[in-house]
Amino acid sequence: MINSNPSDFSYDVFDRQLKNFISMSHVLIDGWDDSTTTEMNCDINSLCIKAARLCYMADIDMSIQREDLNQHRQEQNLFYHNLFNQLICKFVPFMKAVIDKVKGGQPIQGHSSPLFPFSLSKVLPNISEILQEEGMSVSNLETMQKDVEIVEKMLDKNGRAKFPGVRPDERLMLLLQNFALLCYLLQHFTKVSKLHQTEITPEEASRLFTKDILLYTESMEGREELERFRTSLEFDYDGEVLTEIQLKEVRRKIRDNIPVSLQTAFMKYANQTNLLVNEILNMGISTEDYTLLVEGMAKWQTLKAMEYEQTHEVECIPVLHNVIFRNMVSGSKVNLIYVREVISRMLPLITRKNHWFCVWCVLKHRNLLAVLGHEAFAMQMQHHDWFPNLESFKTFSGATLNDYNGYLSQTDFLAWKEKDYEEYLSFHNAPKQSKGLLQKFKTLCLQMDAAFSAR
């Protein structure tokens, strides 16, 4: 499976495709006995393609929801769980009826039906009056007529593609494949519907809260809002550099944009995100209020960073080549020298090229990676500013790590579970992964993560 970037994933597209797929599935079942063979071929193939795409997107949805601290998809999860449950209940007797007919010697094929003989170039003149009434000009009609005639002549000359023949046994296999993918989607929504029931540790809550703030800061919406915020400060203070006292005054005003129910927790723990997030987790806040809190925290940390830069001007100058690490986390500058030192402590644990995947997992867990691409990670780790003199068995490329994309790359290593991983392997083609790999990698990740606390 490709290591999809969740930023490329759209819930608008996911929801729209889910609804279209469910609607088309009902159309297939309801119109089965009325379909021609060609319609069956097209409809079943189309549904299988859509289902496979949705299952791929469902894997990304799962990885996002596992790390969704506020579980904002709860309502949609239950909604789709019910729809797929209803569809499965309808699909099972439908499949049974189809299979019974096959067992009785009746092949899966549709009716033979005459089709309307259609030639667009001949039809257009007959509907020109209707098109003109709808606002199309005569000149546009004439241009369209000429273009259509040119295309039809080209197709007549070069030949037209025909839908390939599909045998009755292939239609049965496609139906069974579609049923299996339907079950996968039902299982997906069953699992994500239960995610909010899983108790989250304070450490994990703090990590996810920090991640949400960082992702907001790096998003298009967040960048624009923070740019507006900084520009407003320049405007309000006539372009002067704010003093430490002024920065603190501005920070206090952020409270006014925090929901009233969260203001007490915000005022107590704005500088201690771990305590703040565990305070608000017990409140059952809405998605809207959580979003406002994240926005407020991003502004708070932006001001902290501005204050830090003013008092540590020399330290703010980058000293190492960097294209993958974040510059700021929780309002504090990331010390790349320290990060390099920590990774150097991990190096003795690397005895195979693929162990760099565990290094990547640990850095991702620590919210240090702004760029998750494996190739960029490999290039930076072997850059002359980092670790250019690795032994040959430790040199690696992005392709080395791509072999472990999927469940292992999309799930935080502390949340890896044997049962989920084995289920993933049963559905996905992952030749370089096996059941025993998870425990080996998890043990290595834990050992490497300890390097952050070593002295």
Side-chain angles (χ1 to χ4, degrees), residues 43-285:
D43 291 349
I44 301 171
N45 267 293
S46 177
L47 280 173
C48 276
I49 294 169
K50 289 184 180 298
R53 181 189 177 193
L54 282 170
C55 289
Y56 176 87
M57 297 175 78
D59 284 349
I60 301 174
D61 175 45
M62 174 63 79
S63 70
I64 293 173
Q65 293 207 50
R66 278 198 186 103
E67 303 221 327
D68 183 2
L69 187 61
N70 200 235
Q71 293 295 329
H72 77 285
R73 291 281 297 183
Q74 283 188 47
E75 185 177 337
Q76 292 91 332
N77 291 337
L78 293 172
F79 172 73
Y80 289 120
H81 178 271
N82 290 334
L83 288 183
F84 275 102
N85 191 44
Q86 294 169 13
L87 181 56
I88 290 287
C89 290
K90 187 175 182 179
F91 209 92
V92 169
F94 163 71
M95 280 298 305
K96 184 178 184 303
V98 170
I99 293 173
D100 286 344
K101 289 182 179 179
V102 172
K103 288 180 176 179
Q106 184 175 336
I108 301 178
Q109 60 186 30
H111 300 291
S112 177
S113 176
L115 302 176
F116 178 72
F118 187 81
S119 171
L120 185 56
S121 62
K122 294 180 180 178
V123 169
L124 271 176
N126 294 317
I127 61 174
S128 60
E129 291 185 8
I130 298 175
L131 294 175
Q132 288 180 59
E133 290 175 2
E134 293 299 320
M136 183 173 280
S137 66
V138 174
S139 61
N140 284 343
L141 276 169
E142 290 175 348
T143 300
M144 181 185 290
Q145 179 71 30
K146 292 177 182 177
D147 290 341
V148 167
E149 290 175 357
I150 291 172
V151 173
E152 285 186 342
K153 288 179 181 178
M154 186 184 304
L155 290 173
D156 290 339
K157 178 181 178 181
N158 298 329
R160 305 184 185 219
K162 298 183 182 297
F163 191 83
V166 180
R167 300 190 309 274
D169 57 334
E170 289 179 298
R171 294 185 198 107
L172 177 59
M173 181 54 66
L174 286 169
L175 278 174
L176 291 170
Q177 288 176 355
N178 193 58
F179 179 68
L181 294 171
L182 270 175
C183 292
Y184 186 85
L185 290 168
L186 175 61
Q187 180 186 22
H188 168 75
F189 286 108
T190 301
K191 290 168 68 175
V192 292
S193 295
K194 295 177 180 178
L195 281 177
H196 70 281
Q197 301 172 8
T198 305
E199 186 174 349
I200 186 169
T201 64
E203 294 77 17
E204 178 68 355
S206 178
R207 183 185 75 84
L208 294 179
F209 188 44
T210 299
K211 179 181 177 182
D212 285 343
I213 297 169
L214 289 166
L215 290 178
Y216 171 79
T217 302
E218 295 161 359
S219 69
M220 178 76 72
E221 174 191 357
R223 288 199 303 269
E224 290 178 353
E225 176 56 28
L226 292 175
E227 177 63 23
R228 187 201 65 78
F229 178 63
R230 283 186 287 263
T231 304
S232 296
L233 291 180
E234 292 178 6
F235 181 82
D236 292 341
Y237 289 87
D238 296 324
E240 296 180 1
V241 176
L242 275 68
T243 65
E244 185 178 349
I245 294 175
Q246 289 172 327
L247 284 170
K248 288 180 178 179
E249 288 176 352
V250 175
R251 276 165 53 185
R252 291 190 189 98
K253 292 179 182 178
I254 293 175
R255 171 192 58 191
D256 299 333
N257 295 320
I258 302 294
V260 174
S261 61
L262 304 177
Q263 285 186 5
T264 300
F266 175 77
M267 289 185 290
K268 289 167 64 178
Y269 303 120
N271 284 321
Q272 298 169 287
T273 52
N274 58 326
L275 298 178
L276 174 58
V277 69
N278 283 290
E279 182 92 354
I280 66 172
L281 273 182
N282 300 321
M283 298 181 180
I285 63 176

